[in-house]
C-alpha cells in the first residue's frame, strides 16, 4: 500500500493515510450535507476525488439521523435511465429481479419453427419525469420506513458521475429531483462539460473544485505512507532520504502525480543503486513513467547513471533492463518525443543521451 494509486477507503488503516487537508474538506462537506445542501465535487482523474468522497461517506455514516447513507459508483452508467434503475434499487425498488412466467409448450414449439424476423432497431423511450419520479417515490418510502432517531433524510454519494446523466437529472429534471428527501453529494471529472450548465448550476448549493496540492500536502501524503509502512519495507527505506528533493521537484502536483513520481523513483533504483535525486530528477522520472510506465522510467534512470550515450542494442542496457532491442528502441523514441532524451548520429549508429534540461 506504500505507493499504491488506489483510492483510500473509509477503513481505519486507510484513514490514517488521509492528509489533514482532505479530512478538513470532508468534514466541511459533511456539515453542508447535514444542513441539507447538495454538494458537487469536481476534480481531474487522480485528484483525490474518490478518496475525499470515501471520507465524506464515513463521516456521514458516523452521524445519527440518516435513514440511509449510500455511496454509488456511477462510472459504468452513461445512460440516465440505467442510472435511475440503479438508484431506485439502492433505495429499495429493484425492478431488475427476473420474473417467472408460465410458457405453453405448444407456443414454445411454434416459436422455434417460425423464421427469424429481420433485425429491427428499437429506440428506447425518451427520458421522462416518470423515470425520475420512481426514484423520488422510492426515496420517500425509504425515508418513511426508518423511524429510528427521527431519521427522515437520505444521503446519496455519487462518485464518477458522468456529465450527461448529471445534467439530465439535476438540470432538466431539477425540480422533480428536489422533491426527494435526498441530500446529493456528487463527484465528477473536471474535464467534462455540463455539470454546471444552467439550470443545474442552482441545484448545487456548494461546489468544490479540487486543485493541485501544496508542497506541504505532498510531503505529508508521502510521509504518512512511509510511517505506516513495515519497518523492513525496502521502498520506504529508499524513499525516506530522497523525500525532500522529490517534493521540491514536483510542480503543482495532484495526488496521482506524487505517487507516480515516487513509484518511478523507486522503480528506477531497483538496480541496487542508492536513491539520490536533485531538483528536477524526480520530475523527469515521473514524466518518463507517464510516457512508458516503469520500463521507460528505469531506462531513463539507467541512461543517466550510465554516463555515456547508448543505442537500442547497447549490451549494458539490454543486460540491466532485460528488454529486447525492439522494445528499447520504442522506449527511446517515446522518451525522445517527450523531450527527455536527445538523439544524434555517430557513423551509421543512432545514439541517445539524456537531455540536460526539459521543458
Amino acid at each position: 500500500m506504500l505507493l499504491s494509486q488506489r483510492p483510500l477507503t473509509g477503513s481505519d488503516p486507510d484513514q490514517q493515510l488521509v492528509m489533514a487537508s482532505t479530512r478538513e474538506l470532508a468534514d466541511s462537506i459533511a456539515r453542508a450535507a447535514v444542513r441539507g445542501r447538495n454538494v458537487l465535487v469536481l476534480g481531474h482523474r487522480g485528484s483525490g476525488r474518490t478518496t475525499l468522497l470515501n471520507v465524506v461517506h464515513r463521516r456521514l455514516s458516523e452521524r445519527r439521523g440518516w435513514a440511509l447513507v449510500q455511496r454509488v459508483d456511477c462510472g459504468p452508467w452513461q445512460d440516465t435511465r440505467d442510472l435511475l434503475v440503479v438508484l431506485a434499487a439502492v433505495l429499495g425498488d429493484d425492478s431488475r429481479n427476473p420474473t417467472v412466467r408460465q410458457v405453453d409448450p405448444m407456443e414454445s414449439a411454434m416459436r422455434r419453427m417460425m423464421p427469424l424476423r429481420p433485425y429491427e432497431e428499437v429506440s428506447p423511450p425518451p427520458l421522462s419525469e416518470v423515470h425520475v419520479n420512481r426514484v423520488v417515490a422510492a426515496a420517500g418510502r425509504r425515508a418513511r420506513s426508518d423511524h429510528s432517531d427521527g431519521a427522515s433524510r437520505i444521503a446519496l454519494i455519487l462518485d464518477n458521475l458522468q456529465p450527461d446523466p448529471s445534467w439530465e437529472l439535476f438540470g432538466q429534471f431539477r425540480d422533480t429531483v428536489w422533491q426527494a428527501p435526498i441530500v446529493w453529494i456528487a463527484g465528477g471529472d473536471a474535464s467534462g462539460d455540463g455539470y454546471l450548465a444552467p439550470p443545474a448550476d442552482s441545484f448545487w448549493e456548494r461546489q468544490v473544485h479540487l486543485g493541485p496540492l501544496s508542497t506541504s500536502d505532498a510531503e505529508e501524503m508521502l510521509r504518512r505512507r512511509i510511517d505506516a509502512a513495515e519497518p523492513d519495507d525496502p521502498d520506504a527505506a529508499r524513499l525516506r532520504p530522497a523525500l525532500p528533493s522529490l517534493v521540491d521537484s514536483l510542480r503543482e502536483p495532484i495526488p496521482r502525480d506524487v505517487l507516480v513520481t515516487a513509484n518511478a523513483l523507486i522503480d528506477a533504483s531497483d538496480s541496487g543503486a542508492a536513491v539520490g535525486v536533485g531538483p528536477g530528477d524526480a520530475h523527469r522520472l515521473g514524466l518518463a513513467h507517464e510516457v512508458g510506465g516503469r520500463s521507460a522510467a528505469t531506462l531513463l534512470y539507467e541512461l543517466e547513471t550510465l554516463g555515456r550515450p547508448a543505442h537500442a542494442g547497447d549490451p549494458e542496457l539490454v543486460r540491466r533492463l532485460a528488454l529486447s532491442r525492439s522494445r528499447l528502441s520504442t522506449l527511446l523514441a517515446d522518451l525522445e518525443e517527450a523531450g527527455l532524451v536527445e538523439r544524434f548520429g555517430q557513423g551509421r549508429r543512432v545514439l541517445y543521451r539524456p537531455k540536460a534540461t526539459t521543458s
Side-chain angles (χ1 to χ4, degrees):
M1 181 59 202
L2 174 62
L3 295 176
S4 171
Q5 294 182 43
R6 74 163 175 81
L8 300 177
T9 68
S11 67
D12 288 341
D14 275 9
Q15 289 297 297
Q16 299 302 314
L17 304 179
V18 176
M19 296 177 296
S21 59
T22 301
R23 296 184 188 185
E24 293 172 2
L25 181 54
D27 288 338
S28 176
I29 293 174
R31 289 193 297 269
V34 169
R35 293 194 294 271
R37 297 180 180 177
N38 300 314
V39 182
L40 177 66
V41 179
L42 294 179
H44 294 286
R45 293 187 60 189
S47 62
R49 185 186 66 234
T50 296
T51 292
L52 173 64
L53 294 180
N54 286 340
V55 179
V56 172
H57 183 207
R58 172 163 175 153
R59 294 292 190 270
L60 290 178
S61 298
E62 293 171 343
R63 290 175 175 263
R64 296 183 178 182
W66 295 99
L68 174 69
V69 177
Q70 183 66 50
R71 178 188 175 278
V72 181
D73 185 356
C74 304
W77 315 114
Q78 301 280 348
D79 185 87
T80 309
R81 282 175 296 269
D82 293 337
L83 178 58
L84 287 171
V85 170
V86 172
L87 294 179
V90 166
L91 296 168
D93 181 7
D94 194 347
S95 65
R96 297 172 299 172
N97 294 327
T99 57
V100 178
R101 182 175 73 90
Q102 295 292 333
V103 179
D104 187 314
M106 183 60 70
E107 176 188 354
S108 178
M110 291 297 294
R111 285 184 177 275
R112 289 195 297 269
M113 295 172 60
M114 292 174 62
L116 294 176
R117 296 181 179 180
Y119 172 77
E120 297 179 2
E121 182 176 353
V122 180
S123 300
L127 184 68
S128 69
E129 273 193 60
V130 174
H131 301 86
V132 183
N133 272 325
R134 182 178 170 190
V135 171
V136 175
R141 288 192 297 270
R142 180 60 184 265
R144 290 191 298 271
S145 68
D146 193 310
H147 302 291
S148 61
D149 300 321
S152 61
R153 288 190 303 169
I154 294 167
L156 289 185
I157 302 171
L158 311 183
D159 192 15
N160 298 313
L161 181 64
Q162 303 298 315
D164 289 344
S166 175
W167 184 84
E168 288 187 324
L169 276 183
F170 307 114
Q172 184 178 355
F173 295 100
R174 178 196 62 184
D175 295 342
T176 304
V177 174
W178 254 330
Q179 299 173 25
I182 301 176
V183 176
W184 302 86
I185 303 169
D189 191 342
S191 61
D193 295 327
Y195 292 103
L196 294 172
D201 55 338
S202 62
F203 184 85
W204 304 107
E205 286 95 351
R206 180 170 179 191
Q207 301 160 19
V208 176
H209 298 265
L210 300 179
L213 297 178
S214 65
T215 301
S216 59
D217 280 346
E219 183 172 357
E220 180 194 353
M221 178 182 178
L222 291 177
R223 285 199 182 280
R224 283 181 176 273
R225 293 176 178 244
I226 292 173
D227 293 342
E230 297 295 330
D232 57 348
D233 189 306
D235 288 348
R238 292 179 180 181
L239 190 58
R240 187 175 286 108
L243 186 56
S245 56
L246 186 153
V247 172
D248 288 341
S249 72
L250 297 170
R251 299 180 177 89
E252 297 187 339
I254 59 176
R256 177 172 293 180
D257 294 338
V258 177
L259 295 173
V260 165
T261 304
N263 267 308
L265 188 65
I266 296 300
D267 290 342
S269 67
D270 277 346
S271 61
V275 176
V277 294
D281 292 346
H283 180 67
R284 288 198 299 275
L285 292 176
L287 291 176
H289 197 279
E290 292 179 6
V291 168
R294 173 176 179 171
S295 296
T298 305
L299 174 56
L300 179 60
Y301 179 84
E302 294 295 350
L303 278 174
E304 292 178 343
T305 58
L306 198 60
R308 59 173 174 79
H311 57 89
D314 189 287
E316 186 65 16
L317 283 183
V318 172
R319 182 186 67 79
R320 292 188 184 186
L321 279 82
L323 296 175
S324 67
R325 176 171 184 153
S326 61
R327 177 59 176 156
L328 285 173
S329 179
T330 299
L331 290 173
L332 286 168
D334 291 341
L335 291 174
E336 181 193 11
E337 184 177 354
L340 296 169
V341 301
E342 57 184 357
R343 177 179 58 175
F344 63 97
Q346 189 177 77
R348 300 178 61 184
R349 179 165 287 172
V350 177
L351 299 178
Y352 294 85
R353 62 189 171 202
K355 293 189 71 171
T357 59
T358 59
S359 56

